[in-house]
Amino acid sequence: VQLMESGGGSFQSGGSLKLSCVTTGYIHSSYVFGWFRQGLGKEREGVAIIDSDGTTTYADSVKGRFTISRDNAKNTVDLQVSSLQPEDTGTYFCAADYPSEGVRAGSPLRRWLQPHEYPYWGQGTQVTVSS
């Protein structure tokens, strides 16, 4: 399983952007995907998660501005960000996990906001937001 992010760059505060993650290799439709970001000197944090059935969850800090979506036919997972803020600056990573049915059924989706849940990661794409 390989993941590759794109769409990063330099943006103005108040603007919007769309990040894309293309997955290759064997990707089962039951995969959980997440978008994470890491600011300079900060820990990696989960911002948006999407389940196999399209259910989503977000970090409280980004609710209302971030939207995650997936297209299983195209093997892509996108992240749309609106009302950009300088605090959104960082490296954005796409990640994938294939939890067992038991684990997924017994856990809230927010569990997958934690980076350690994911065995598969992309290389990241840099986003810089200037005021």
Side-chain angles (χ1 to χ4, degrees), residues 44-65:
R44 192 170 299 187
E45 63 168 339
V47 293
I49 312 300
I50 189 163
D51 203 352
S52 58
D53 63 357
T55 302
T56 59
T57 194
Y58 299 90
D60 291 342
S61 59
V62 305
K63 279 183 180 177
R65 296 195 302 116

Side-chain angles (χ1 to χ4, degrees), residues 33-82:
F33 289 96
W35 277 97
F36 292 77
R37 69 181 178 188
Q38 188 167 17
L40 190 63
K42 297 182 179 180
E43 293 187 356
R44 192 170 299 187
E45 63 168 339
V47 293
I49 312 300
I50 189 163
D51 203 352
S52 58
D53 63 357
T55 302
T56 59
T57 194
Y58 299 90
D60 291 342
S61 59
V62 305
K63 279 183 180 177
R65 296 195 302 116
F66 285 40
T67 303
I68 187 172
S69 60
R70 65 191 288 170
D71 186 328
N72 291 335
K74 296 182 179 180
N75 289 337
T76 58
V77 181
D78 293 338
L79 182 70
Q80 297 197 5
V81 183
S82 62

Side-chain angles (χ1 to χ4, degrees), residues 36-39 44 88-93 123-127:
F36 292 77
R37 69 181 178 188
Q38 188 167 17
R44 192 170 299 187
D88 295 323
T89 294
T91 303
Y92 283 71
F93 299 89
Q123 293 298 310
T125 185
Q126 177 66 34
V127 171

Side-chain angles (χ1 to χ4, degrees), residues 2 12 19 26 57 61 65 75 130:
Q2 294 182 325
Q12 292 292 318
L19 304 179
Y26 180 70
T57 194
S61 59
R65 296 195 302 116
N75 289 337
S130 56

